[in-house]
């Protein structure tokens, strides 16, 4: 059981350089402009909620074409799977950018 936990933890820390950079820059903002930390956290919260809702919007609208439930066979199957994954990523990115820009 402990080995399984370590394996999951190792997989979840693939982006540790990004996490470290986020912590360092947030700390720098907190030191230089402490009044902006609340605004930064509010903006991040909005973007994370937008990405979360975009994921569920994709699952709701395209209920028949989920990448995780697709059984790819052959080149055409892999192309369809790639298109489903690209659709979801583009939808999530577009909504995150729109919310991040304040729309």
């Amino acid at each position: 059981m402990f080995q399984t936990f370590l394996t999951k933890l190792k997989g979840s820390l693939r982006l540790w350089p990004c996490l470290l950079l986020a912590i360092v820059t947030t700390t720098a903002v907190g030191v230089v402009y402490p009044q902006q930390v609340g605004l930064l956290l509010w903006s991040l919260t909005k973007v994370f909620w937008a990405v979360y809702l975009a994921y569920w919007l994709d699952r709701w609208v395209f209920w028949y074409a989920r990448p995780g439930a697709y059984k790819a066979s052959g080149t055409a199957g892999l192309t369809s799977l790639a298109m489903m994954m690209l659709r979801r990523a583009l939808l999530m990115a577009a909504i995150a950018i729109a919310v991040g820009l304040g729309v």
Side-chain angles (χ1 to χ4, degrees):
M1 180 172 154
F2 188 68
Q3 186 68 22
T4 306
F5 174 73
L6 288 177
T7 305
K8 289 181 181 181
L9 183 64
K10 181 181 175 186
S12 66
L13 292 177
R14 285 178 284 184
L15 292 174
W16 70 267
C18 293
L19 177 63
L20 182 64
L21 182 63
I23 291 170
V24 167
T25 54
T26 303
T27 304
V29 168
V31 169
V32 178
Y33 300 108
Q35 69 275 12
Q36 295 295 319
V37 174
L39 180 66
L40 175 67
L41 293 176
W42 172 243
S43 298
L44 287 173
T45 301
K46 287 191 315 183
V47 170
F48 284 132
W49 271 109
V51 169
Y52 177 77
L53 293 174
Y55 170 79
W56 284 103
L57 178 69
D58 178 75
R59 286 182 58 109
W60 180 53
V61 173
F62 299 103
W63 56 269
Y64 54 88
R66 292 185 181 163
Y70 189 74
K71 304 285 190 268
S73 60
T75 306
L78 289 176
T79 303
S80 297
L81 178 63
M83 289 297 142
M84 284 185 248
M85 294 169 69
L86 184 61
R87 178 202 69 223
R88 181 172 285 176
L90 287 174
L91 179 67
M92 292 172 70
I95 291 176
I97 290 170
V99 169
L101 290 174
V103 175

